[in-house]
Amino acid sequence: MKKAQKTNINRVMLDIVIVISSCAIGAFGIVAVMIPNGLTYGGISGIARLIQTTLNIDYNIMFYALSLTVLMAVSECELFTLRF
């Protein structure tokens, strides 16, 4: 394997580890700090939290439903599609 390819693979693996670690820290902050203390925040998480509070629907279900809705809306928009 060439040195450049090996360096690129190492860089990608490091990026994956950083992204997974960041997601885990963010999830811990939401579940362990924000929700038990009744705090609300912005974005999809905040909207899901407000719906959970007002309609008494599970936070996880609302978060994934809203995330999938946004993902489908963005994937339909031609501005964000990738063309190879």
Side-chain angles (χ1 to χ4, degrees):
M1 189 180 294
K2 295 180 183 176
K3 186 176 181 179
Q5 287 177 334
K6 194 171 188 179
T7 304
N8 191 24
I9 290 172
N10 289 340
R11 179 67 182 160
V12 169
M13 293 302 290
L14 178 64
D15 288 346
I16 290 171
V17 168
I18 290 172
V19 167
I20 290 173
S21 300
S22 300
C23 289
I25 291 169
F28 176 77
I30 289 172
V31 174
V33 177
M34 301 290 277
I35 290 177
N37 292 314
L39 302 173
T40 306
Y41 25 88
I44 293 175
S45 302
I47 295 170
R49 177 78 171 121
L50 289 173
I51 292 172
Q52 175 200 14
T53 303
T54 56
L55 300 178
N56 201 19
I57 297 174
D58 186 28
Y59 171 79
N60 295 322
I61 294 171
M62 286 311 307
F63 178 79
Y64 287 119
L66 291 171
S67 296
L68 288 173
T69 304
V70 170
L71 181 64
M72 288 187 296
V74 169
S75 68
E76 293 295 321
C77 181
E78 292 224 12
L79 178 65
F80 294 107
T81 56
L82 299 174
R83 296 174 192 214
F84 296 99

